[in-house]
Amino acid sequence: MSDTDHCVIVGASHAGAQVALNLSKAGWAGAITLLGEEPHLPYHRPPLSKDFLAGGKTLDQLHLRPQQHYDNAGVTLRLGERVIAVNRDSHTVTLASGASLAYDKLVFATGARVRRLPIDGESLPGVRYLRSAADIAAIQRELDEVKNVVVIGGGYIGLEAAATMRKLGRDVTVVEAADRVLQRVTSPTMSRFFTRVHEEEGVRIIVDTGVTRFTGTDRLAGVELASGEIVAAELAIVGIGVIPNVELAADAGLACSNGIDVDEYGATADPDVYACGDCAHGTNRLFASPLRLESVQNANDQGLCVAKAIAGDRKPYAAVPWFWSDQYDVKLQIAGLSQGYTSTQLRGDPDAGRSFALFYLDGDRLLAVDAINRPREFVAARQLLAADAAFDARKLADESIPLKECRR
Ligand code: FAD
């Protein structure tokens, strides 16, 4: 690497900013350009369905870092710039403006975009998605006219939006196609808990039901369900998952499966091209199969791993995944991945109150914990997961035994 080398990062959000701000610290002596399609300084995305949607924060308060930090780290930020092509032979990226930029190292941090619901009426004002600050601005412009909200999709983002809309005093219905909310991401116990909490807060939850049409003439009036019922709504928030932005990489001839395929250093098969964050499908040493995760932790940790690898300080990605969700007075904190669990153990009661921890095990190995208003269990479990310890499952259920003493 020389001081004339240039690292170009495509995508200016959690993952891209993390790479950019850590390159020099890791020893990269060359130039750094962070290209972002959105016109804003990189900002925290999680508040979009929480405080920011509730109107409690301005976009300035959401910035990951002030402009000064990028300047100090030697990062040239080019915002409002969309990359439309990558040519690996000539080592160049082409911008929508027609300009092109040469790179020595390239990072895809292009994230993910919402999965759309292409049914009749989707283009009516009042049908909204939740991914960017611009999406929230569009919702907020219409909110004064809204009494009834239908949230389509009972995943974390849909449920957070439902909680925020209740906080704002709107009547809220959640419609979920699967037979329980959070079906794709968590266990039946957690689905039952969140269903109870939302119903206690006055949300109507409809499961096992698809949506067939948005009704209304010049703006949204209702959401038609597969059952034939039309639920009145001046606002529909669609939260049915995301699609990783892999097209640029795929068009440049890079392998993509459930994301841009990368190794444990975040590198693609091209040694000059890396990927990290929501768009990357890669190896985490703690897991047997490659993964694509959608979380701030993953974007940050994988971004750091990529920055170091580019600067020559290669360390394999091996981070315990963690995630959180805020709904009403409930803070869910998840450590680990529960897929493949063979048994669970509970600390506390998910059917009463709002505080418990659910441990997921495979034999005597702890895979994950879902902690509801239990920060202590979450923090201890994160450490124990990193140590890959064997557990006495029965002790886990005993509130009087600290987690660390539940190891075999
Ligand atoms: P993204 O944040 O998707 O950013 C990618 C960026 O790249 C975007 O700004 C995009 O415009 C830009 N881009 C894409 N293509 C191009 C191109 N061709 N040229 C230039 N720029 C391009 N995670 C949690 O851990 N906890 C939470 O509570 C939580 N809540 C969330 C709530 C909401 C409403 C949303 C939307 C997400 C939430 N997440 C949460 C997920 C988390 O925000 C994402 O995992 C994280 O943003 C991923 O960061 P990223 O940088 O990989 O991708």
Side-chain angles (χ1 to χ4, degrees):
M1 175 214 329
S2 81
D3 58 6
T4 57
D5 280 354
H6 188 195
C7 179
V8 172
I9 303 153
V10 186
S13 180
H14 291 276
Q18 181 77 342
V19 177
L21 291 169
N22 282 287
L23 272 170
S24 314
K25 272 190 227 161
W28 173 260
I32 304 161
T33 301
L34 178 58
L35 295 165
E37 181 183 9
E38 294 182 72
H40 319 287
L41 277 178
Y43 56 89
H44 290 277
R45 225 168 269 283
L48 297 186
S49 46
K50 309 175 182 82
D51 320 16
F52 189 61
L53 179 60
K57 287 210 161 124
T58 63
L59 189 54
D60 289 357
Q61 293 171 300
L62 260 48
H63 291 158
L64 296 179
R65 296 280 185 279
Q67 174 72 49
Q68 190 71 43
H69 281 231
Y70 299 93
D71 298 343
N72 293 346
V75 177
T76 303
L77 253 174
R78 292 183 61 173
L79 302 172
E81 296 266 28
R82 179 170 174 74
V83 174
I84 55 165
V86 168
N87 185 325
R88 291 195 294 126
D89 292 334
S90 60
H91 274 56
T92 53
V93 301
T94 307
L95 307 179
S97 62
S100 76
L101 225 60
Y103 70 82
D104 297 284
K105 300 287 178 189
L106 179 71
V107 181
F108 287 105
T110 46
R113 61 182 180 275
V114 293
R115 187 183 298 282
R116 302 196 76 97
L117 186 59
I119 55 175
D120 269 7
E122 192 216 359
S123 58
L124 285 169
V127 178
R128 298 291 169 204
Y129 293 83
L130 263 187
R131 183 75 197 176
S132 65
D135 293 335
I136 306 304
I139 292 175
Q140 281 168 344
R141 277 196 296 274
E142 294 167 347
L143 212 47
D144 284 349
E145 313 298 317
V146 172
K147 183 173 176 301
N148 304 289
V149 180
V150 171
V151 174
I152 300 164
Y156 287 120
I157 288 177
L159 292 184
E160 287 180 352
T164 303
M165 286 297 139
R166 282 303 294 147
K167 188 169 161 185
L168 295 176
R170 304 310 193 269
D171 288 338
V172 180
T173 303
V174 173
V175 183
E176 166 57 54
D179 62 359
R180 58 185 174 91
V181 298
L182 301 174
Q183 192 256 0
R184 193 178 62 85
V185 287
T186 193
S187 61
T189 303
M190 298 307 290
S191 300
R192 196 170 72 241
F193 169 75
F194 277 106
T195 300
R196 172 171 71 80
V197 166
H198 279 273
E199 288 179 347
E200 284 171 3
E201 300 287 345
V203 174
R204 179 183 176 209
I205 294 193
I206 301 171
V207 294
D208 247 337
T209 305
V211 167
T212 47
R213 187 167 66 98
F214 295 108
T215 68
T217 42
D218 50 0
R219 58 160 301 110
L220 180 72
V223 177
E224 186 183 85
L225 310 185
S227 59
E229 178 182 352
I230 294 179
V231 184
E234 299 79 41
L235 173 64
I237 298 178
V238 184
I240 56 170
V242 295
I243 299 168
N245 291 322
V246 302
E247 290 75 5
L248 275 181
D251 291 349
L254 293 164
C256 297
S257 49
N258 174 29
I260 304 167
D261 291 329
V262 293
D263 66 14
E264 58 190 351
Y265 305 100
T268 65
D270 178 336
D272 292 332
V273 183
Y274 292 74
C276 52
D278 279 18
C279 69
H281 178 247
T283 306
N284 179 331
R285 276 254 170 122
L286 303 180
F287 301 95
S289 314
L291 297 167
R292 189 180 69 80
L293 295 175
E294 294 161 11
S295 73
V296 167
Q297 168 275 324
N298 178 62
N300 283 337
D301 289 348
Q302 206 177 21
L304 185 58
C305 175
V306 163
K308 288 185 170 173
I310 291 174
D313 177 17
R314 281 158 60 87
K315 300 246 167 46
Y317 185 45
V320 173
W322 58 268
F323 183 81
W324 77 95
S325 175
D326 297 322
Q327 299 167 42
Y328 314 105
D329 57 351
V330 171
K331 180 172 258 321
L332 164 68
Q333 292 170 296
I334 302 173
L337 294 180
S338 60
Q339 279 116 312
Y341 69 91
T342 52
S343 67
T344 56
Q345 281 294 335
L346 270 166
R347 212 169 246 228
D349 184 359
D351 295 321
R354 296 182 179 186
S355 170
F356 68 93
L358 178 62
F359 300 96
Y360 298 85
L361 296 127
D362 178 15
D364 63 2
R365 295 279 163 201
L366 182 64
L367 298 182
V369 64
D370 287 342
I372 295 288
N373 293 332
R374 294 265 183 145
R376 208 177 307 154
E377 273 86 350
F378 167 71
V379 171
R382 260 180 75 184
Q383 289 162 359
L384 293 164
L385 281 162
D388 189 26
F391 278 81
D392 181 336
R394 280 161 314 157
K395 284 189 185 166
L396 283 173
D398 186 339
E399 299 264 6
S400 68
I401 305 177
L403 225 49
K404 286 193 185 115
E405 291 170 25
C406 299
R407 292 166 77 156
R408 276 196 199 284

